[in-house]
Amino acid sequence: MNGKVYMDYAATTFVRPEVVAAMMPYHSISFENPSSLYSYSDGNRRAIEEAREAVADLIGALPEEIFFTGGGSEADNWALKGLAFSRAGKDKRHLITTETEHHAVLHSMDFLERMGFRVTYLPVDSEGFVSIDKLKEAIRDDTLLVSVAFANNEIGTIQDVEAIGKVCRDRGVLFHTDAVQAVVHVPIDVKSMGIDMLSMAAHKFYGPKGVGALYVKKGIRLENLIHGGGQERSRRAGTENVASIVGMGKAASLASEEMESDSLEICKLRDRLIDGVMSTIPHTRLNGPVGDRRLSNNANFSFVGIEGETLLLDLDDAGIAASTGSACASASLDPSHVLMAIGLSHEMAHGSVRLTLGRSSSDYDVARLLEVLPSIVEGRRAMSPLWDDYMARREVL
Amino acid sequence: MLYSEIVMDHFRNPRNVGEIENPDGVGEVGNAKCGDIMKIYLRIEDDVIIDVRFKTFGCASAIASSSMATEMIKGKSVQEAAELTNKAVAQALDGLPPVKMHCSVLAEEAITKALNDYLGKKGRPLLPERNQNQLAHDHGNR
């Protein structure tokens, strides 16, 4: 990766060369509109359907249950708003989600509340897990849908999706999961897991940006979000992004073959990273669970006494790309809603860094991170009044 | 990059970091909830600031604002330091993103508070202070 250390795979991945190669002909050679009647378009239509099969295979769905979208956020929006609007005026106007969802879900829920729907936001425990008992209690006679992310994008918590799916099935409530972070890291079988709708995005698993998919179980009717032509069986209008859809299909088929071995390798690196940070930097908290219940590529830390953005910029100076849930690194000044939901203080929530690994991550990357991070943390703590206060309190205690 | 080169220079190489033992004036502002805490220490002789140090918990903008503000008041009289505005700090940094302007406000306020600590010890009239609660997320300037 050109000498740089990239540890932000949860934000996006590179596009695999095999995927780029698969996409290339559809930019300038087979460029015809797949909706056109002439025979030149036949190949493009076939390519889209092959991609649909590959994406369906990845999650145990039927090809006709896969609808391509402009990405994961669109898939989330369509699942929630499309279902709500299809039931508008009927008696089921209650939705359930969690406090730690991605903003694509939370902001869609906000919108639906303004449209007169009622939403219950389930709390999570200190590791980010939803309580199955609390979910059962929250379901009412008028509950239409439960939406719980398969895996959290910040702290990597993998929910017990099978148990959630079972509760929903038993109670006659539909279950949507935002699986944008989980796809290719966790084996997914929508049928056995009781999932009715599932969102995914290609750029999280070595496909191109700007393309995603929504799995919709056969028989579920969603109102369209995008009206126009008859593409995607008249449920999502707009000329198909053929090259990107083909790329998503190629990335999905590669992932189906290599998921298990990739995850094992990345998991070993992740554990080395976590062990290294926790053992070399005192007064550090690992956010999220340990072991198999955490995404194999995710590590998230809070460092007492420092604000996350400073670490991010210092790491950048050292050639390491990372991410933070720190408010100050974004347009909002509020700390991460995920870290607050798992019970962190404002200080600790402001001082978080997310490091996520991928296919190109190596021993060198982890070693380089462990080489520079301890001194960065030490340096920034030395200029922090919060750190002084923390140490003084410890001395008193 | 979100920040100007001057902001990044002061973030990477902050000037005047540290504490002053038995300072003539000290001021702390901000709170952890908002992600910014600034503490300014002053050494004053004959009403002239001969040394100034700071410690800051916060983002790059907060650290750069603290660093620049301390540079701007060093060697100045108490009266001159009292006239420092957040706008002058932000301008000296070649601008701050709108959402980060509150960092320059905190720097101004921390200095005012430290000067008031000094003036109060001397039994002299205090400078007007901004209301911290209103300032915490004041993204504007003056």
Side-chain angles (χ1 to χ4, degrees), chain A residues 23-332:
Chain A
M23 292 169 66
M24 285 303 283
Y26 297 95
H27 287 296
S28 53
I29 300 170
S30 301
F31 64 87
E32 298 83 4
N33 191 320
S35 297
S36 298
L37 284 176
Y38 34 75
S39 56
Y40 292 137
S41 295
D42 290 349
N44 293 357
R45 280 194 289 274
R46 266 200 308 277
I48 290 173
E49 293 319 310
E50 283 169 14
R52 202 183 307 280
E53 284 172 27
V55 171
D57 281 349
L58 185 61
I59 59 168
L62 299 169
E64 58 267 34
E65 294 174 316
I66 299 295
F67 297 89
F68 290 111
T69 66
S73 289
E74 184 189 322
D76 284 338
N77 273 259
W78 188 17
L80 304 178
K81 295 176 191 171
L83 184 71
F85 292 155
S86 75
R87 303 294 182 96
K90 303 210 173 123
D91 54 351
K92 299 222 170 192
R93 297 178 69 80
H94 176 238
L95 307 155
I96 298 172
T97 190
T98 79
E99 293 176 351
T100 54
E101 295 300 304
H102 188 273
H103 283 131
V105 169
L106 290 178
H107 291 175
S108 293
M109 291 293 188
D110 283 347
F111 171 78
L112 289 170
E113 282 189 293
R114 292 201 301 277
M115 296 295 112
F117 289 85
R118 290 172 296 275
V119 181
T120 298
Y121 298 89
L122 293 173
V124 295
D125 67 17
S126 60
E127 293 182 319
F129 291 104
V130 168
S131 153
I132 300 299
D133 288 338
K134 285 199 172 115
L135 171 62
K136 285 179 186 167
E137 286 166 21
I139 294 177
R140 317 185 315 206
D141 290 343
D142 64 339
T143 303
L144 173 63
L145 175 80
V146 169
S147 180
V148 177
F150 206 115
N152 185 268
N153 59 313
E154 288 190 38
I155 57 172
T157 308
I158 301 170
Q159 300 291 347
D160 188 349
V161 169
E162 211 162 337
I164 296 169
K166 185 175 184 320
V167 169
C168 292
R169 202 164 39 214
D170 290 349
R171 300 289 294 271
V173 175
L174 293 174
F175 174 35
H176 164 255
T177 186
D178 173 351
V180 165
Q181 291 292 339
V183 169
V184 318
H185 295 290
V186 185
I188 299 176
D189 186 302
V190 289
K191 304 300 177 197
S192 67
M193 291 174 163
I195 298 167
D196 296 301
M197 292 186 283
L198 178 146
S199 306
M200 61 176 101
H203 74 106
K204 305 290 189 183
F205 55 93
Y206 309 97
K209 295 168 183 62
V211 62
L214 179 64
Y215 153 75
V216 185
K217 188 178 171 183
K218 231 174 175 175
I220 295 174
R221 179 68 202 161
L222 301 182
E223 189 57 66
N224 290 2
L225 280 195
I226 300 175
H227 299 93
Q231 292 88 356
E232 293 296 289
R233 299 193 300 292
S234 296
R235 295 174 77 171
R236 199 271 187 184
T239 299
E240 293 90 340
N241 183 356
V242 184
S244 292
I245 288 171
V246 168
M248 183 173 187
K250 183 66 180 176
S253 62
L254 290 169
S256 293
E257 293 162 18
E258 300 166 4
M259 183 185 333
E260 200 175 333
S261 55
D262 275 5
S263 284
L264 276 174
E265 285 306 307
I266 292 169
C267 197
K268 281 184 205 162
L269 276 182
R270 178 205 67 181
D271 289 345
R272 210 171 304 153
L273 172 66
I274 290 175
D275 292 346
V277 169
M278 296 303 289
S279 62
T280 56
I281 306 178
H283 311 292
T284 298
R285 178 194 154 102
L286 174 68
N287 299 314
V290 293
D292 294 343
R293 301 193 304 164
R294 177 185 203 104
L295 279 177
S296 56
N297 71 333
N298 175 290
N300 186 309
F301 305 99
S302 286
F303 301 97
V304 172
I306 13 185
E307 203 274 339
E309 187 198 77
T310 61
L311 297 182
L312 201 67
L313 293 171
D314 285 335
L315 285 172
D316 185 41
D317 282 345
I320 299 171
S323 177
T324 174
S326 163
C328 272
S330 68
S332 160

Side-chain angles (χ1 to χ4, degrees), chain A residues 330-344:
Chain A
S330 68
S332 160
L333 294 172
D334 298 324
S336 152
H337 66 286
V338 175
L339 299 180
M340 295 303 289
I342 63 171
L344 264 64

Side-chain angles (χ1 to χ4, degrees), chain B residues 36 45 48 67 80 84 90 102:
Chain B
D36 301 297
E45 281 179 12
V48 172
S67 171
E80 286 168 333
L84 182 77
H102 71 282

